[in-house]
Amino acid sequence: MTRFASSLRPRGHKVRASFALATAALLASGCSISPKPLTDDENVSRLREDMSVIMAPQEPIAGPVSMHEAMARAIKYNLDERVKLMEMAVANQQLDLSRFDMLPRLVAGAGYTGRNNESGSESLNLATGRRTGESTTATDRHRRTADLGFTWNILDFGVSYLRARQNSNLVLIADERRRRVVQGILQDVRTSYWRAVAAERLLKRIEPLEKRIEAARKNANDLEAQRVQAPLQTLSYQRALVDTLRQLQTLRRELVASKSQLGALMGLPPGENFTLQMPPDVTGKDVPAITASVESLETYALLNRPELLEESYNARITADETHRALLKLLPGIDLNAGLHFDSNSFLLNQRWADYGARVSWNILSLASAPDTHAFSKAQEELVAFRRQALSVAVLSQVRVAMVQFRELSQEFSLNADQASIDRRIRQQYVNSSTVGQQGDMSVIQAEVSELVSDLRRDLVYADLQNAYARVMVSAGVDPMPEAVPSQDLTTLRQAVSDGLGAWQQKAGGTARLQDLLVPAATTSEKAPTEKAPIEKAAEPQTEPKTAPLAARNDEPAERKAAVPERVTVAELPQAASMAAPMTVSYSPSSRSEPAKVYSVPLSALAPMGRASAR
């Protein structure tokens, strides 16, 4: 036995030396890693891959591009929209993967074990303290094993379920972000389209006018050289020509990139030419009208803005995170079962099954339970306050968008009138020049004034269209239906046209915030002489009801009179209790009118209440 061990000693030294050399080689290779920049071939390969997507063939442009077709192409081919669609796809894939986390573990394994000598052992007689002197073994030198184990942790199942529910809310958040991107893209397309129309109209008029100014400058230089006129008069004439030419070049710089910006929004390859469908010349009567009331738009915005819905889904995720944190404090229960095989010939049963259960609990985690609960609740309150602050910002955005739209409507009317006046003035100068009463400079200046007025009118009209779209975006209105039967350009163009034509009807049919106060009960008590502030009712007499959101603004006068003009809601509850409606009482000024109790849905009124308190 001793000889056998000594004969194995050199081989053991060699094995240890080989292992040491392999370890040293791995450590050396790990320490030799250095930054490796991209090679030229890798850059060219990346460029080809990206350009194959950017320059992918699209449906050819058959004719002049209208605004609705530009919007349809932006929805289908804009890369920002495609990025959001990919994010939605990734979120859906993550949700599908998280569902597998709820399944128990079923692990299969197989192995082979061998050794160079026998696994022998001796026994010790505990009574006499002597060894038995006999070496025995119960294991073959070469064995094969196989296992199939089933394990299920009930606590991990609950945690995985909550994680899957969080991922489902992440899918909805990705969809809301896609909605926001689509709304922004369509707003930018509307603005770029009308600026491109203005550029298309005016750039054709700028070029011949520039040629006339250059010819007039040449004549002025000849007059200065011949000293036909006084030097100061000639120089003033030249300065006026240069100033006019500078104005035209400034206008050209503002307009020359408008069509390229529209093409980029449509997802066209850079430099691809296309023709715009030119609408009729705008006049002071071409002001888009918004018939929906501001109050209805505010309500619709609070119910449908993508940012607010995203924060609501974040509140769900935070609540599930609170449940996960508390669930981890509970004891874990493991259920396990397995099938096993061992080729060891000394075993009485080479195939067997086992099963069991185990409970484990980190008792020290109970010490952190109060802090964990407080931290989770603080996160929920933070999300709620962030949503409320965003609600106030949304209300402000709707109001500001409506104010800007009205101001730009008035500004456009004035610019349209000015353009009409400058056109008539230019015609008078042309008539006077024909009979020799006016020089070329006066005619040129009149034409430039008309051109500048037309440009200012068209640019203000583009800003007016942008303000019109901003009202729609601030209200959270989708310009397209939720489901589109096909993604071809014809169907998308029709869907955009229908959506833009019906968005005011959809948003304007929402009830105003004031109309959400519904009488819940009438008390028999008489109201006091003086007006009293609204207080919380201790016990409402009937179940509070919520007003239907589909109520229209053209309600009967009796329905509107049933709601008080001014209601003060004092001491709004904290965000943690905002799920249930709050009941308030209203005391009328007249003794003949009974006191009434109203139910306020706080999910809609809490942001406005805080805004008024500020």
Side-chain angles (χ1 to χ4, degrees), residues 366-568:
L366 294 177
S368 63
D371 293 336
T372 301
H373 184 265
F375 174 73
S376 301
K377 289 301 180 183
Q379 282 186 317
E380 292 183 15
E381 291 180 2
L382 174 61
V383 173
F385 283 128
R386 189 167 56 204
R387 185 183 65 247
Q388 293 162 11
L390 185 58
S391 299
V392 175
V394 165
L395 293 174
S396 301
Q397 289 174 6
V398 174
R399 290 280 177 174
V400 170
M402 286 295 294
V403 170
Q404 291 178 346
F405 174 77
R406 291 166 181 168
E407 293 296 325
L408 282 171
S409 299
Q410 298 178 2
E411 183 178 352
F412 170 71
S413 299
L414 292 177
N415 279 275
D417 292 341
Q418 182 179 356
S420 177
I421 294 172
D422 286 338
R423 184 181 302 108
R424 295 197 297 270
I425 291 176
R426 192 264 306 167
Q427 186 62 40
Q428 292 297 325
Y429 273 109
V430 170
N431 295 337
S432 300
S433 175
T434 303
V435 297
Q437 297 179 358
Q438 296 290 341
D440 289 341
M441 185 59 198
S442 300
V443 177
I444 290 174
Q445 288 179 341
E447 290 180 356
V448 171
S449 298
E450 180 193 8
L451 184 63
V452 172
S453 297
D454 290 343
L455 175 62
R456 188 181 296 113
R457 177 202 61 199
D458 291 346
L459 291 181
V460 171
Y461 188 75
D463 293 338
L464 177 62
Q465 290 287 340
N466 185 31
Y468 179 83
R470 191 182 299 116
V471 172
M472 182 169 55
V473 172
S474 64
V477 183
D478 290 323
M480 292 183 59
E482 295 182 0
V484 180
S486 176
Q487 290 295 318
D488 60 282
L489 287 179
T490 303
T491 305
L492 289 175
R493 182 169 59 248
Q494 186 62 38
V496 170
S497 177
D498 296 341
L500 294 178
W503 76 269
Q504 293 193 58
Q505 181 180 1
K506 179 167 58 175
T510 308
R512 301 180 303 171
L513 291 178
Q514 302 92 300
D515 296 338
L516 294 178
L517 298 176
V518 181
T522 303
T523 61
S524 57
E525 300 177 1
K526 296 293 184 178
T529 305
E530 298 181 358
K531 290 186 178 180
I534 297 176
E535 300 176 353
K536 296 181 183 178
E539 294 181 359
Q541 296 182 4
T542 61
E543 187 69 18
K545 298 181 180 179
T546 305
L549 294 181
R552 300 203 174 255
N553 296 328
D554 51 352
E555 297 173 288
E558 295 80 8
R559 170 66 183 84
K560 294 186 177 180
V563 180
E565 296 182 357
R566 181 178 180 183
V567 176
T568 304

Side-chain angles (χ1 to χ4, degrees), residues 35-56:
K36 185 179 179 181
L38 292 173
T39 62
D40 293 339
D41 292 339
E42 290 174 338
N43 273 327
V44 171
S45 177
R46 173 189 56 82
L47 177 63
R48 290 174 179 172
E49 182 181 357
D50 293 345
M51 289 299 103
S52 65
V53 176
I54 296 175
M55 302 294 184

Side-chain angles (χ1 to χ4, degrees), residues 133-444:
E134 296 180 357
S135 298
T136 60
T137 182
T139 306
D140 292 336
R141 291 177 61 182
H142 302 280
R143 295 186 303 126
R144 297 184 307 276
T145 59
D147 302 280
L148 181 62
F150 171 88
T151 307
W152 189 34
N153 188 297
I154 299 179
L155 183 61
D156 289 344
F157 168 77
V159 172
S160 300
Y161 172 77
L162 293 175
R163 186 183 295 113
R165 197 161 67 175
Q166 288 177 320
N167 290 333
S168 66
N169 287 311
L170 289 176
V171 173
L172 299 174
I173 288 177
D175 185 41
E176 295 303 326
R177 290 176 178 174
R178 184 197 61 81
R179 284 183 56 215
R180 184 169 56 187
V181 168
V182 170
Q183 291 174 2
I185 288 175
L186 296 188
Q187 179 185 1
D188 294 339
V189 168
R190 180 187 287 268
T191 304
S192 298
Y193 173 80
W194 285 106
R195 290 183 68 88
V197 167
E200 196 81 8
R201 285 172 176 166
L202 299 179
L203 286 178
K204 297 178 181 179
R205 297 168 54 186
I206 288 178
E207 184 175 357
L209 192 56
E210 286 179 341
K211 292 181 179 179
R212 290 183 57 190
I213 293 175
E214 289 292 345
R217 288 183 62 191
K218 184 178 179 181
N219 293 333
N221 292 332
D222 294 340
L223 292 176
E224 182 183 7
Q226 297 173 6
R227 296 185 179 181
V228 176
Q229 295 179 346
L232 183 60
Q233 183 179 0
T234 304
L235 292 175
S236 299
Y237 179 62
Q238 293 180 6
R239 184 181 185 281
L241 289 174
V242 171
D243 185 65
T244 302
L245 187 60
R246 181 181 56 81
Q247 280 184 311
L248 293 179
Q249 291 177 350
T250 302
L251 296 177
R252 179 190 296 276
R253 186 178 68 251
E254 292 181 357
L255 297 175
V256 71
S258 301
K259 194 173 180 180
S260 299
Q261 292 174 354
L262 179 61
L265 289 171
M266 293 164 56
L268 296 178
E272 182 170 342
N273 191 22
F274 61 95
T275 305
L276 289 175
Q277 180 179 342
M278 301 300 294
D281 293 342
V282 295
T283 62
K285 299 180 180 179
D286 296 330
V287 179
I290 296 181
T291 58
S293 64
V294 182
E295 293 80 6
S296 299
L297 294 178
E298 287 176 342
T299 307
Y300 194 89
L302 291 176
L303 294 174
N304 294 278
R305 274 289 289 267
E307 299 89 337
L308 290 176
L309 295 179
E310 180 180 345
E311 289 299 331
S312 298
Y313 294 136
N314 281 327
R316 288 186 184 178
I317 293 175
T318 305
D320 287 338
E321 190 65 30
T322 300
H323 298 154
R324 283 181 56 190
L326 296 178
L327 194 61
K328 290 179 180 180
L329 302 177
L330 300 177
I333 302 176
D334 288 323
L335 304 178
N336 57 82
L339 299 175
H340 307 277
F341 167 77
D342 195 331
S343 65
N344 187 8
S345 61
F346 295 95
L347 293 177
L348 180 62
N349 297 306
Q350 292 182 330
R351 293 178 176 84
W352 71 97
D354 58 6
Y355 44 87
R358 178 181 176 82
V359 178
S360 60
W361 192 8
N362 183 8
I363 302 178
L364 293 180
S365 63
L366 294 177
S368 63
D371 293 336
T372 301
H373 184 265
F375 174 73
S376 301
K377 289 301 180 183
Q379 282 186 317
E380 292 183 15
E381 291 180 2
L382 174 61
V383 173
F385 283 128
R386 189 167 56 204
R387 185 183 65 247
Q388 293 162 11
L390 185 58
S391 299
V392 175
V394 165
L395 293 174
S396 301
Q397 289 174 6
V398 174
R399 290 280 177 174
V400 170
M402 286 295 294
V403 170
Q404 291 178 346
F405 174 77
R406 291 166 181 168
E407 293 296 325
L408 282 171
S409 299
Q410 298 178 2
E411 183 178 352
F412 170 71
S413 299
L414 292 177
N415 279 275
D417 292 341
Q418 182 179 356
S420 177
I421 294 172
D422 286 338
R423 184 181 302 108
R424 295 197 297 270
I425 291 176
R426 192 264 306 167
Q427 186 62 40
Q428 292 297 325
Y429 273 109
V430 170
N431 295 337
S432 300
S433 175
T434 303
V435 297
Q437 297 179 358
Q438 296 290 341
D440 289 341
M441 185 59 198
S442 300
V443 177
I444 290 174

Side-chain angles (χ1 to χ4, degrees), residues 12-30:
H13 284 301
K14 291 181 180 180
V15 172
R16 286 194 293 270
S18 300
F19 180 74
L21 289 175
T23 303
L26 289 174
L27 292 176
S29 63

